[in-house]
Amino acid sequence: MATLGTHSSVGDILGQAKRVVVKAGSSLLSEAQSGALRHGWMASLAQDLAGLRDTGAEVLMVSSGAVALGRRALKLSDGALALEQKQAAAAVGQPMLASAWKEAFAPLGIVTAQALLTLEDTEKRRRWLNSRATLEALLSQKALPIINENDTVATDEIRYGDNDRLAARVAQMSGADVLVLLSDIDGLWTADPHRHSDASPIPFVADMSAEIMAMAEGPNPQSNLGSGGMVTKLTAARMAVQGGCTVILASGVCEHPLAALMNGARATVFAPAATATDARKGWIAGTINPAGQVHIDEGAVRALGKGASLLPAGMTACTGDFTRGDVLAILDMNGREVGRGLASYTAGEARKICGLRSEEIAHALGYSARAAMIHRDNLVLLHKEKT
Ligand code: GLU
C-alpha cells in the first residue's frame, strides 16, 4: 500500500491513480433556478475523466441527480418529498440522467453503463460480491460505470439516502485507490465558512480522529438539492480511507473540475489509513446499518486498542436483533461508536453471556461455544485512539 506524504499534491494523487471513483452531487448537475441539466459542465467533466483514463486509470462515476431532475419534470413542489414522490421522481429522472451522461461521453468514444444499487447490494456479502463482479466486467470491457442508488425501489428505512456513502461503498467494492467527492463544498474547513468568518480550510487530513469528525456541522447550507452534508462526507471519507483509499473532497462547481484540481484548486485530501484494513474489514467498517449494538466497558476498550478480541466479560449490554455473522456496532461507556465487528453469537445468546468470564459461558448457554463475542479477525476500530 502506497503511503501518502503530506506533500503529495492532488495532481500527483490523480496522476498516479489506478482506479478512481468520482462522485458528482445533484447541485452540480442542474441549474439551481431552472432545473435544466448543465450539459456544458457534464461535457467538461467527461473530458476530464477521459483524460484520467488516458493516463491509464480506470474510472467509475457515482452520479446523483435522478430525484432532482425527475421532480422538475413532474412539476413537484419544492421542499421535502414523500417517499412515493421521491420514488416516482427517480423513475423519471434516472433515464434522463443516464442519457445525458451517454451524450456527454459519446464524443470521446467512451461507452457508459448504468448500475443502480440498493443498500442490500452492498450490505449482504453475497450480493456485494455479485455487484463487484459486474463492475469488474464493465471495467474490463472499458465501459464507464455510472452508478446511482436505485431510488425507485428504495424505501426510507432501506436506503443510503446520500450518494457520498454510496460512493465510498463503491470505492471499497471496486478496490479504488482514489475517491473524489465533488459537490459545492470546496473541502473541509475548521467550521462552516458561511457562518464563521474565522474558519480556515484544512488541506490535508492524516487520520480521521474524533476531532476531525466533530468538525462537520449540519447539512451543507448552500445546497438543497442533494442529501449529503459534511457529516455524510466525513463518514464516507472515513469508510474509504479505512479501505486504503485516498479521498479528495473538492468543489465541482466550475467546468473541468478535475483539471482545476490538477492546477491547484482548493481541496481536502484524506490520507488512506496507515494500517489500511483488508477488503473484508473495510466492508465490515463501512456497513451502513449495523444489525445491533454491543456496549463495552473501559477495560474492553483498552484491550481492543491493543488488538484483542472482544470477550463477553467486557460487554455491559447488547441491543438489536442479530444473528451470527451480522455486523455489530461496538459502543464505549459514553455511547460513542469505537468499532465494528461480526457477531459470533446470536442476540439471544449474547444477552445471556453479557459480562460473563470465558469459563462461565458454557454453563450459561448449556453448550460449549467460542470464547470471543467478536473475534479480532472480524473486528475493526473506527477511531485512532490517542495513547
Ligand atoms: N440518489 C439521489 C439522486 O440521484 C441523490 C442522493 C444524494 O443527493 O446524495 O437523486
Side-chain angles (χ1 to χ4, degrees):
M1 180 69 51
T3 51
L4 180 73
T6 41
H7 301 299
S8 296
S9 71
V10 175
D12 287 345
I13 295 165
L14 286 173
Q16 289 160 17
K18 293 190 182 59
R19 194 172 272 190
V20 185
V21 175
V22 176
K23 180 254 171 175
S26 296
S27 59
L28 303 178
L29 283 145
S30 56
E31 300 291 352
Q33 294 306 317
S34 65
L37 268 171
R38 296 174 70 205
H39 288 286
W41 179 85
M42 293 174 82
S44 82
L45 178 58
Q47 285 158 19
D48 285 359
L49 295 180
L52 211 51
R53 286 176 30 133
D54 288 343
T55 68
E58 292 174 308
V59 176
L60 302 94
M61 202 163 72
V62 173
S63 176
S64 307
V67 174
L69 288 174
R71 72 185 295 158
R72 296 274 178 175
L74 292 173
K75 300 193 173 43
L76 299 175
S77 59
D78 288 345
L81 296 179
L83 173 65
E84 314 76 62
Q85 289 178 312
K86 235 184 279 173
Q87 292 173 322
V92 171
Q94 183 60 37
M96 296 164 71
L97 188 62
S99 90
W101 280 122
K102 181 172 172 243
E103 277 166 34
F105 281 99
L108 304 162
I110 295 175
V111 175
T112 53
Q114 170 176 280
L116 300 180
L117 297 179
T118 56
L119 188 63
E120 294 208 318
D121 289 316
T122 60
E123 304 310 282
K124 299 267 182 240
R125 188 77 183 155
R126 266 190 59 207
R127 287 176 63 168
W128 161 275
L129 296 173
N130 182 37
S131 309
R132 187 171 77 177
T134 307
L135 295 180
E136 283 298 336
L138 288 168
L139 290 171
S140 72
Q141 299 294 326
K142 303 272 180 281
L144 195 147
I146 301 183
I147 299 150
N148 197 359
E149 178 159 19
N150 193 351
D151 295 299
T152 298
V153 296
T155 61
D156 278 337
E157 307 79 52
I158 312 170
R159 73 185 312 132
Y160 298 94
D162 68 86
N163 275 4
D164 298 312
R165 292 178 307 160
L166 171 62
R169 271 318 226 177
V170 167
Q172 283 182 322
M173 179 186 271
S174 59
D177 48 352
V178 180
L179 166 65
V180 186
L181 295 175
L182 293 177
S183 68
D184 48 10
I185 303 171
D186 62 354
L188 178 65
W189 291 60
T190 49
D192 180 350
H194 301 110
R195 285 187 279 164
H196 302 271
S197 55
D198 56 349
S200 49
I202 300 174
F204 182 80
V205 174
D207 65 72
M208 301 295 293
S209 60
E211 289 94 310
I212 290 290
M213 293 304 291
M215 277 174 195
E217 284 181 296
N220 167 15
Q222 274 197 324
S223 162
N224 57 10
L225 289 176
S227 311
M230 195 49 92
V231 175
T232 67
K233 287 184 173 42
L234 291 187
T235 310
R238 185 173 70 184
M239 285 159 60
V241 299
Q242 259 170 344
C245 186
T246 301
V247 178
I248 301 170
L249 181 58
S251 167
V253 173
C254 295
E255 291 199 358
H256 292 290
L258 296 189
L261 283 174
M262 297 278 209
N263 291 327
R266 182 154 52 215
T268 301
V269 172
F270 298 85
T275 48
T277 41
D278 61 32
R280 199 163 134 281
K281 286 198 174 185
W283 176 77
I284 294 171
T287 308
I288 307 285
N289 290 326
Q293 289 87 30
V294 39
H295 296 258
I296 65 172
D297 63 21
E298 250 170 61
V301 173
R302 273 199 303 278
L304 297 194
K306 291 184 185 140
S309 297
L310 173 62
L311 301 178
M315 291 160 46
T316 56
C318 73
T319 54
D321 180 20
F322 54 87
T323 188
R324 281 175 218 172
D326 280 350
V327 178
L328 302 181
I330 306 170
L331 309 180
D332 70 9
M333 300 296 277
N334 302 317
R336 190 177 70 123
E337 185 172 5
V338 292
R340 294 207 171 156
L342 300 184
S344 302
Y345 292 101
T346 64
E349 290 169 329
R351 284 193 249 283
K352 282 188 197 153
I353 61 173
C354 218
L356 297 190
R357 289 196 311 275
S358 299
E359 60 274 20
E360 298 167 326
I361 295 174
H363 183 250
L365 292 178
Y367 47 85
S368 60
R370 319 164 182 267
M373 174 65 200
I374 300 177
H375 190 272
R376 62 190 198 167
D377 290 347
N378 297 327
L379 192 152
V380 196
L381 294 181
L382 296 183
H383 302 282
K384 205 177 141 131
E385 299 300 328
K386 285 203 183 120
T387 43

